[in-house]
Amino acid sequence: APGGKHEGLDLTIAALNPRGLLVVDDMTPVPQWPAELRGRQAEVRRALLASPLLTSVELTCGSGVIVCARRT
């Protein structure tokens, strides 16, 4: 199923097998980003960290990473 980070995130999550992993990078906002991109990144962050289908952790290394595991 086509999916993605900004568009189709629900399809990406739905495609994960139980205990499957999803790694999403570039999650630390950069001051040079346009306001629209910062808003979309905030929506992705909220969706990943609040999803009842996922167990997620945000790591502040590099460009910022959220690692998610599909709950069984």
Side-chain angles (χ1 to χ4, degrees):
K5 176 167 61 174
H6 297 278
E7 296 176 11
L9 182 60
D10 56 336
L11 297 174
T12 301
I13 293 169
L16 287 172
N17 288 325
R19 296 184 299 278
L21 296 178
L22 174 63
V23 178
V24 183
D25 64 350
D26 297 330
M27 294 306 298
T28 299
V30 175
Q32 295 83 1
W33 285 357
E36 178 185 343
L37 179 57
R38 284 194 305 269
R40 290 191 340 215
Q41 288 297 83
E43 289 174 22
V44 170
R45 176 179 287 106
R46 274 192 299 275
L48 294 172
L49 296 175
S51 173
L53 300 174
L54 301 171
T55 298
S56 303
V57 63
E58 187 169 10
L59 307 174
T60 58
C61 59
S63 64
V65 177
I66 297 179
V67 179
C68 311
R70 177 72 187 252
R71 294 182 181 176
T72 54

